[in-house]
Amino acid sequence: MSLLKLNYKRLLVGVLTIALISCSSPWDERQDIDDANLKVTLDVAITNTAGTSQFTKLLVETGYDKILAASKTYTVFVPTNEAMALVDSAILNNPDALKEFVGNHIALTAFSSVRGTQETQIKMSGSKYLVFKGSTMIDDATIISADHYAANGVFHVIDKVLTPKMNIWQYVNSKAGASAMSDYLLSLKEFSIYTSDIDAKKNAVPGVYSDSLTNSYLRNVYNLNNEKNSYTLFLMEDAGYNTEVDKMKPYLIKKTNNPAIDSTAIYSKYFTLRDLAFGKKYELDKLPATLTSRFGVEVPIDKTQIVGQPIRLSNGIVYIMKKVDVPVAKRLLTKKIEGEKSTGYLNGSSTYISKRDRIEPDGITRFNDVYVAPPKDVSSFMLFYGDKDFFTTTYKVYWRAINTQTNVFQQSLRIGGKLVLTGTKYDVVGAWATFPYTNVELLNYNEVYLGEITLTQAGDLNLISLTAVNTGVAGNNSLSLDYLKFVPQVK
């Protein structure tokens, strides 16, 4: 019995010892390292390291030696002298570029190489972020001597310099005059795609990030000037770009009061290019055959159309493409307007409106809709809806409206027009399209086809009205809507 207890105690001590060792961090373990560098700050420790004298000189020249002598904790990725010999003289001879270059090797806080295989995005002293890959790579440089601890941080010796890369937006700027697609993207700093862009331009503060606040593409698609996130951009050569834009022109006809502005061309370019940026970095070996843009357009990616090698930048990757051939049918997205998301109402009180949480006939799938039950003597109650970015084409129009009453009622849909007050009641006059009063049958969960509308101008539909019948009979003056659907047709 005593022998059993003794063995148990030995086992417990062994388990606790393993647990303590497993829970310790590399930064804590530095206290046990017999290293003279632990008594000095990073600037001195790096100076004392053989084979890194060229980078040490730049620390002094840029003033970063004083920063690394401070009490804050840093990580420094120190290039070898061999790596430093390859630095472009244009960087070395430009004080601002040199400071940015050195700062791109320094991060605030300590990052040990003992960190598993995960990737970690690290904010460097400048504006850039770099990815610490596993335990041996920082960006595209390999750590050849890791975890040199000092009193205020850690440094790793690397085989390549970490020259700051352009971000995607900076790369687009560098192609001004040489790429029609780049020229258009840059022009959206002056031209506003949406009304909200106009106000943003007025209120923007000048500076390095002003494009992020004023350019309509960066505001409404992805901010390709943002260093923290990663993106993929497909930049088409001129011939392929022009072909894709021409495909969209019949669907984006827009008139303008200024004959010098071709609004149809401007919007055709925008609706072509908004689907060519993606909120993730896709390396070539991970690039799928189809990507879905943030607007829901399925974009086929034909790798045979890639020109040269991928261009890896500080916040993502750019592929130069001969063309990106997106079928028009994929660009013409169906509009679905949810019934519970009305923009307003008239001819009654909001207390008549119920936004319902319902279950499909399968007993599993949930959905939301709106139901309006005015009391007696309230007639012609109206709900209003709107949506933006309709194309110049014919749309087939549907609704799904669930009637849970005991009687059938009718409702009508009108597109466009204006509101007119007659006596105490509002009505819509001059509608572009009026669909007649249609029965809302009992417990019909199917879509109901209402008819077609043809739009001759691309743009927004801000007044879509659902109207109850002109009767004060309770139960006959109701409204119900799960959703409206506008299905565009290819010409």
Side-chain angles (χ1 to χ4, degrees), residues 141-270:
T142 300
I143 297 173
I144 57 177
S145 181
D147 300 326
H148 297 270
Y149 290 101
N152 64 335
V154 61
F155 69 94
H156 312 281
V157 180
I158 56 177
D159 68 344
K160 294 180 181 178
V161 295
L162 302 173
T163 303
K165 298 174 181 175
M166 289 187 289
N167 66 32
I168 293 177
W169 191 242
Q170 289 168 335
Y171 179 80
V172 169
N173 274 268
S174 76
K175 294 300 177 183
S179 160
M181 178 172 163
S182 295
D183 288 342
Y184 173 74
L185 292 175
L186 297 173
S187 76
L188 293 181
K189 183 173 183 177
E190 303 301 327
F191 187 88
S192 297
I193 293 296
Y194 298 108
T195 303
S196 58
D197 300 339
I198 298 174
D199 295 333
K201 288 174 170 55
K202 290 179 181 178
N203 299 325
V205 177
V208 65
Y209 296 113
S210 63
D211 281 4
S212 303
L213 304 173
T214 60
N215 185 282
S216 287
Y217 194 86
L218 302 188
R219 281 177 46 80
N220 300 301
V221 183
Y222 285 110
N223 183 4
L224 304 178
N225 201 27
N226 180 359
E227 293 283 357
K228 188 171 184 179
N229 296 332
S230 295
Y231 308 95
T232 298
L233 176 68
F234 295 93
L235 192 66
M236 285 188 288
E237 293 184 331
D238 290 358
Y241 163 69
N242 291 330
T243 298
E244 285 300 294
V245 171
D246 287 343
K247 285 160 55 176
M248 292 302 296
K249 285 182 178 179
Y251 299 92
L252 285 154
I253 298 171
K254 294 180 77 76
K255 292 181 180 178
T256 177
N257 295 325
N258 186 347
I261 297 176
D262 186 350
S263 295
T264 295
I266 290 172
Y267 281 87
S268 296
K269 292 172 183 177
Y270 177 78

Side-chain angles (χ1 to χ4, degrees), residues 315-328:
N315 66 342
I317 194 164
V318 170
Y319 292 94
I320 305 299
M321 307 291 292
K322 292 180 182 177
K323 63 178 180 178
V324 181
D325 187 3
V326 182
V328 169

Side-chain angles (χ1 to χ4, degrees), residues 27 40 45 61 81 99 123 140 148 166 193 228 247 252 293 302 304 326 332 370 377 383 390-393 397 472 484:
W27 182 247
V40 298
E61 186 175 342
N81 287 341
K99 188 154 190 175
K123 174 70 168 66
D140 55 1
H148 297 270
M166 289 187 289
I193 293 296
K228 188 171 184 179
K247 285 160 55 176
L252 285 154
S293 77
D302 183 355
T304 67
V326 182
L332 303 183
V370 66
D377 299 329
L383 288 174
F390 282 82
F391 295 107
T392 315
T393 191
V397 184
L484 297 170

Side-chain angles (χ1 to χ4, degrees), residues 97-109:
L98 183 60
K99 188 154 190 175
E100 184 181 4
F101 169 81
V102 175
N104 208 48
H105 294 76
I106 301 170
L108 179 61
T109 200

